[in-house]
Amino acid sequence: MTDFSPDESFIDTNKLIFGIGQVQQITGVSGRQLRYWEAQKYISPLDQKKGVSRQYSLRTLFLIFHINRFIEQGFTLQAAVDHAQKFDAQIPALRKFLRGQLKGVTISDDKTLLDFGYLNHHHDKHVYGVIDQGGETSFEIKDVASQSH
């Protein structure tokens, strides 16, 4: 099992920067659409340096991806932006939870286990997130006394 310490930081996503061409390629959103979304204040590029093409943060890349996903699901642009912004607002809470709770990951041939630690302060049950070979996810709660590693 790969163990994680809450004191260890994940990758600094603020340092992941994507040029407009990369964003177009990753998300399928055209440069024209991106510029329109910028004009409407739905997204913002990073501060531009003279002679450098538009650049976007990873967070903005995800926002663009989700706006486009909601548009493809039939939402209007404004509704897609609203949905994507709500989703984006949840990311810090998810990141905080994972930093605090994820204790380790075990990958085997048939499944991946994410160790979320003890269920409660009694330390009698352990919680695992499970991803099976087919990509289906579930939880397992195991009695600590019956665990064998």
Side-chain angles (χ1 to χ4, degrees), residues 14 34 46 55 61-62 70-71 75 77 79 83 100 115 129-130 145:
N14 293 326
L34 293 171
L46 297 171
Q55 295 181 322
L61 175 76
F62 283 140
F70 286 120
I71 288 171
F75 289 90
L77 176 57
H83 279 75
D115 180 354
V130 181

Side-chain angles (χ1 to χ4, degrees), residues 50-129:
K50 191 171 185 171
V52 177
S53 65
R54 284 178 167 79
Q55 295 181 322
Y56 300 90
S57 67
L58 180 63
R59 185 173 184 167
T60 302
L61 175 76
F62 283 140
L63 185 61
I64 293 165
F65 173 81
H66 289 294
I67 291 169
N68 194 49
R69 181 173 63 98
F70 286 120
I71 288 171
E72 288 174 350
Q73 291 176 5
F75 289 90
T76 65
L77 176 57
Q78 183 61 59
V81 168
D82 292 344
H83 279 75
Q85 287 174 338
K86 285 178 188 170
F87 184 81
D88 184 59
Q90 297 170 358
I91 299 299
L94 292 169
R95 183 177 288 129
K96 183 175 184 174
F97 179 83
L98 286 174
R99 279 189 178 148
Q101 282 302 129
L102 187 62
K103 307 303 182 206
V105 177
T106 302
I107 300 173
S108 64
D109 290 337
D110 62 336
K111 65 183 173 183
T112 299
L113 289 178
L114 295 100
D115 180 354
F116 288 113
Y118 295 109
L119 178 63
N120 56 39
H121 67 278
H122 297 296
H123 292 200
D124 57 349
K125 297 187 185 296
H126 216 93
V127 179
Y128 296 94

Side-chain angles (χ1 to χ4, degrees), residues 9-68:
S9 60
F10 290 142
I11 191 168
D12 183 358
T13 57
N14 293 326
K15 293 181 181 175
L16 295 175
I17 298 171
F18 301 87
I20 192 168
Q22 292 169 309
V23 170
Q24 291 176 75
Q25 189 173 22
I26 293 167
T27 65
V29 177
S30 72
R32 183 175 177 210
Q33 285 176 294
L34 293 171
R35 288 186 290 278
Y36 178 76
W37 294 358
E38 287 174 26
Q40 298 301 311
K41 306 284 189 223
Y42 297 143
I43 62 170
S44 298
L46 297 171
D47 291 336
Q48 287 184 256
K49 297 176 180 122
K50 191 171 185 171
V52 177
S53 65
R54 284 178 167 79
Q55 295 181 322
Y56 300 90
S57 67
L58 180 63
R59 185 173 184 167
T60 302
L61 175 76
F62 283 140
L63 185 61
I64 293 165
F65 173 81
H66 289 294
I67 291 169
N68 194 49

